[in-house]
Amino acid sequence: MIKFLVIFLISILILYFISFLFVCIKECKYVKQRDPAARNCFEIVLLYSGVHAVANHRIAHFFYKIKFYFIARLISQMSRFFTGVEIHPGAKIGKGLVIDHGMGVVIGETTIIGDNCTIYQGVTLGGTGKDKGKRHPTIGNNVLIGAGAKVLGPFTVSDNSKIAANAVVLTEIPENSTCVGVPARIARINGQKLNTDLDQVHIPDPVSQELCKIYKRIYDLENKENKNETL
């Protein structure tokens, strides 16, 4: 009996590592496209914690779908321990997700992530309140979420959008948009492709823009008042 149990466990571990390795290799091309520091697939498979987290999630999500919830959560928690990335096994993730650096990333149970998205360290895709059902965000295709950003609630961040570092997003985001600030405000960029742009620094700040308009108006009014006084 003990011998059979040992053989069974070894077989499960071998199957797990084969699946893990297969998914890691599959994810390599997406990392190489978007991470300038990535040198080769061997290095990515062996050393990139974001790739490991995604690979573990693919396996955990399979068990979650067939209602093996304990095994799914066990894989998820082990992955969290080794990678610093916590992805609930119930989350639905499309192809080409790149989690760069990854430490501190949290993705909730009812989160849906589209294809070719990029997430940096410290990001939270979380819920609000204690309601059952859909309580986490839906992320569209080609979305970039900067370091430390928080997206909280059951709304949609639409395709080709970009969320700046440390932004706190609490409302729905339309397509081709850039969000900045706390709470996040939208600086819309229509017709611009954002899926290959990884710049999180040079982003328009709508608050700063409005302040500049106010300063200009005050300056114009002061000049007008000075001219009236001289007359």
Side-chain angles (χ1 to χ4, degrees), residues 31-157:
V31 176
K32 287 181 74 176
Q33 286 171 1
R34 279 174 267 165
D35 186 355
R39 294 182 178 84
N40 52 66
C41 272
F42 177 77
E43 183 181 86
I44 292 167
V45 171
L46 195 65
L47 302 176
Y48 275 54
S49 59
V51 173
H52 300 164
V54 172
N56 281 320
H57 172 73
R58 304 283 189 210
I59 299 168
H61 186 63
F62 167 78
F63 284 107
Y64 188 88
K65 286 195 296 184
I66 61 174
K67 302 187 187 305
F68 283 30
Y69 298 124
F70 178 80
I71 295 174
R73 286 307 298 265
L74 179 64
I75 294 170
S76 173
Q77 290 302 107
M78 288 178 63
S79 178
R80 177 178 180 265
F81 177 80
F82 285 107
T83 67
V85 178
E86 182 173 346
I87 308 176
H88 193 284
K92 297 177 181 177
I93 296 176
K95 66 180 181 180
L97 173 65
V98 173
I99 302 176
D100 200 356
H101 300 290
M103 182 61 71
V105 170
V106 177
I107 299 175
E109 179 183 10
T110 60
T111 302
I112 300 173
I113 300 176
D115 298 336
N116 302 314
C117 294
T118 304
I119 295 176
Y120 287 88
Q121 70 272 16
V123 167
T124 299
L125 304 181
T128 55
K130 298 180 180 179
D131 296 334
K132 298 289 184 181
K134 186 77 169 78
R135 59 191 185 278
H136 299 95
T138 296
I139 308 298
N141 301 321
N142 308 314
V143 174
L144 181 143
I145 306 178
K150 315 299 177 189
V151 186
L152 307 174
F155 53 83
T156 298
V157 177

